[in-house]
Amino acid sequence: MKHIPVLLNDVLETLGDISGRTIVDCTFGAGGYSRAFLERGANVIAFDRDTNVIADAEKLKQEYGNKFRFINAPFSEIKQLKSDEFDDVVFDLGISSMQIDNAERGFSFRFDAPLDMRMDTRTDITAADLINNKTVEELADILYEYGDIKKSYKMAALLKEKQPKTTFELRDLIKVPGDIAPIFQALRIAVNDEMGQIKDALNSVDELLQTGGRCVCVTFHSIEDRIVKNTFRKWTENVGDPRLPTIIAPKYKLLKTKTPTDAELDMNSRARSAHLRAVQKV
Ligand SMILES: C[S@@+](CC[C@H](N)C(=O)[O-])C[C@H]1O[C@@H](n2cnc3c(N)ncnc32)[C@H](O)[C@@H]1O
């Protein structure tokens, strides 16, 4: 299924008049956001680490020429850009419908496939390798932290013992049906270092964003959202001890926080856990 962009209208509303601005779309996916930015007169620099999106990116390149640049790399590489190369930054985190629906990628327990889960297939470590390489304690931490799995140690020990190599082998080891999706999600987050990526990229955004520049993040997972919320809170707070006279004014102002409306949820169930947060450098 083609990916339906989530909260796109809210992202556009938050960015305001983008004509002539340059927006970094950190998560190109099917290009829904990038296309909307280009249609409104913006220039776009887009990142995606999945090589499968290159064809869609090339189509936009043909239509928009120099107004569109695609970088097939993790968005933590935003640090390679210079401050004056862009105005605003947008993240639409997580995986796309194309990734989850592509049986061979191993993201979904609905299809039997090698236990892969790499967004970037040029990297080495698949989910099966991760289970093989990590200790029981490390695996238990991953399951607990990213999947909220209560009996995480027991599950981790079972994974180490059985070493599942396919999605169905993994699925069939999980006896509590409600744990299947969270365990797949936890392994995917670890395989792709999703939390490390967002922390790293936000640090670079803070260093590079110019005054007036906006940073908009759409998250789908509570830990991801907590990282964005806490980072934005730090950016928008006064710096210093409130009892002392020298308080440094915040570097950012909060623009928006938003979750999808019922109408959006009816159209797109993937939007269920989506959360938009946006700030502007002042
Ligand atoms: C939710 S989809 C984005 C959908 C897009 N906004 C659209 O409208 O089509 C997320 C995309 O971001 C990519 N992605 C996730 N984490 C990434 C990272 N750290 N670096 C680069 N791309 C990443 C995924 O490969 C996926 O294609």
Side-chain angles (χ1 to χ4, degrees):
M1 192 177 83
K2 193 74 177 169
H3 185 88
I4 306 171
V6 175
L7 290 172
L8 175 58
N9 286 335
D10 292 286
V11 170
L12 292 169
E13 196 185 291
T14 310
L15 290 171
D17 181 6
I18 53 176
S19 176
R21 290 178 78 81
T22 299
I23 303 187
V24 181
D25 177 358
C26 284
T27 48
F28 178 77
Y33 277 26
S34 280
R35 178 173 286 283
F37 301 151
L38 289 160
E39 281 170 357
R40 284 159 183 78
N43 302 298
V44 172
I45 302 172
F47 284 89
D48 204 301
R49 57 180 165 183
D50 191 339
T51 52
N52 288 6
V53 308
I54 292 175
D56 278 338
E58 273 168 3
K59 270 190 228 145
L60 273 193
K61 181 86 199 147
Q62 274 164 18
E63 275 181 64
Y64 287 94
N66 287 342
K67 290 178 77 64
F68 177 69
R69 177 175 158 204
F70 177 69
I71 303 172
N72 191 206
F75 56 58
S76 52
E77 289 304 309
I78 193 170
K79 58 172 154 299
Q80 309 290 353
L81 298 182
K82 296 196 178 60
S83 248
D84 61 4
E85 281 184 281
F86 65 93
D87 297 298
D88 307 300
V89 184
V90 177
F91 296 88
D92 177 20
L93 295 162
I95 51 173
S96 67
S97 307
M98 292 88 65
Q99 288 167 327
I100 193 103
D101 291 341
N102 183 333
E104 293 143 40
R105 305 287 302 263
F107 287 111
S108 172
F109 52 84
R110 288 180 290 131
F111 314 112
D112 196 12
L115 198 55
D116 190 324
M117 300 198 191
R118 288 168 300 165
M119 288 186 196
D120 184 346
T121 49
R122 297 165 298 186
T123 58
D124 295 332
I125 309 291
T126 65
D129 297 329
L130 188 94
I131 292 170
N132 193 23
N133 297 350
K134 297 280 180 195
T135 63
V136 174
E137 287 76 12
E138 287 168 335
L139 265 183
D141 284 349
I142 288 170
L143 298 180
Y144 184 75
E145 206 182 325
Y146 301 146
D148 207 16
I149 300 299
K150 300 288 175 278
K151 294 186 175 162
S152 56
Y153 192 90
K154 204 170 152 201
M155 190 67 224
L158 184 67
L159 294 185
K160 283 300 284 183
E161 185 200 330
K162 301 289 185 193
Q163 296 282 333
K165 294 282 178 274
T166 68
T167 49
F168 277 10
E169 282 175 19
L170 171 59
R171 185 198 63 184
D172 294 344
L173 287 177
I174 306 168
K175 296 298 169 228
V176 181
D179 281 354
I180 297 176
I183 287 174
F184 271 71
Q185 170 188 268
L187 292 173
R188 187 204 88 209
I189 289 174
V191 165
N192 296 292
D193 185 24
E194 292 179 38
M195 302 308 156
Q197 277 286 313
I198 181 72
K199 285 183 195 164
D200 204 5
L202 286 177
N203 278 337
S204 301
V205 168
D206 184 28
E207 276 169 30
L208 294 171
L209 206 64
Q210 305 180 82
T211 303
R214 294 164 166 89
C215 177
V216 185
C217 291
V218 177
T219 61
F220 292 88
H221 187 277
S222 56
I223 300 176
E224 204 172 65
D225 187 52
R226 205 176 317 135
I227 292 172
V228 174
K229 184 173 76 181
N230 290 340
T231 306
F232 284 3
R233 185 176 292 155
K234 207 170 70 195
W235 289 358
T236 52
E237 268 174 2
N238 286 323
V239 182
D241 185 335
R243 293 163 302 182
L244 298 176
T246 46
I247 302 288
I248 302 166
K251 288 188 291 181
Y252 292 82
K253 70 173 179 193
L254 195 64
L255 287 180
K256 197 177 181 92
T257 65
K258 175 89 175 43
T259 46
T261 58
D262 288 345
E264 235 182 327
L265 292 178
D266 286 345
M267 260 172 46
N268 187 1
S269 63
R270 221 191 124 257
R272 219 173 23 243
S273 47
H275 209 127
L276 180 152
R277 296 181 189 275
V279 289
Q280 181 173 32
K281 207 168 205 178
V282 289

